[in-house]
Amino acid sequence: MRPFAAIYSTFLQRGYDQVVHDVAIQGLPVRFAIDRAGLVGADGPTHAGSFDIGYLGQLPGFILMAPSDEAELARMVATAALIDDRPSAFRFSPGRRGGRPPP
């Protein structure tokens, strides 16, 4: 089995201590699909995922991916499924193709 944890960025932030102790320190291959990454507008400031790059990027061995479009997001999901020796994450926002506003 290849565990994927789908979670809003802001809720992952609230569980940061568990990510550090239960995943990162142990180097477990948990894959985080981080929804609501970045400024998400209508969801309000408490649901903006503005900090996930900062707090996950400092963890040892953690692979963090941020796609520029939908095709790149699909490749990052496939890449995350292949990573078996460390935690990884890919972040995205709703209504956007990877990270850019729709045309």
Side-chain angles (χ1 to χ4, degrees), residues 8-10 34-50 52 91-96:
Y8 279 19
S9 177
T10 189
I34 305 173
D35 193 358
R36 303 299 196 275
L39 300 175
V40 292
D43 286 344
T46 61
H47 283 64
S50 306
D52 50 56
R91 59 191 309 266
F92 57 94
S93 292
R96 295 179 183 219

Side-chain angles (χ1 to χ4, degrees), residues 9-101:
S9 177
T10 189
F11 300 141
L12 183 61
Q13 178 180 327
R14 295 170 193 177
Y16 182 68
D17 194 48
Q18 285 76 28
V19 173
V20 171
H21 291 282
D22 299 334
V23 178
I25 289 175
Q26 298 179 57
L28 297 177
V30 176
R31 296 124 185 115
F32 292 92
I34 305 173
D35 193 358
R36 303 299 196 275
L39 300 175
V40 292
D43 286 344
T46 61
H47 283 64
S50 306
F51 306 110
D52 50 56
I53 291 174
Y55 68 75
L56 293 175
Q58 67 183 342
L59 297 176
F62 210 105
I63 297 171
L64 183 56
M65 301 174 272
S68 61
D69 59 34
E70 195 171 339
E72 196 168 62
L73 175 61
R75 289 190 301 272
M76 287 179 182
V77 172
T79 297
L82 297 174
I83 298 169
D84 281 329
D85 62 345
R86 65 190 68 213
S88 61
F90 51 92
R91 59 191 309 266
F92 57 94
S93 292
R96 295 179 183 219
R97 303 208 189 307
R100 290 188 246 164

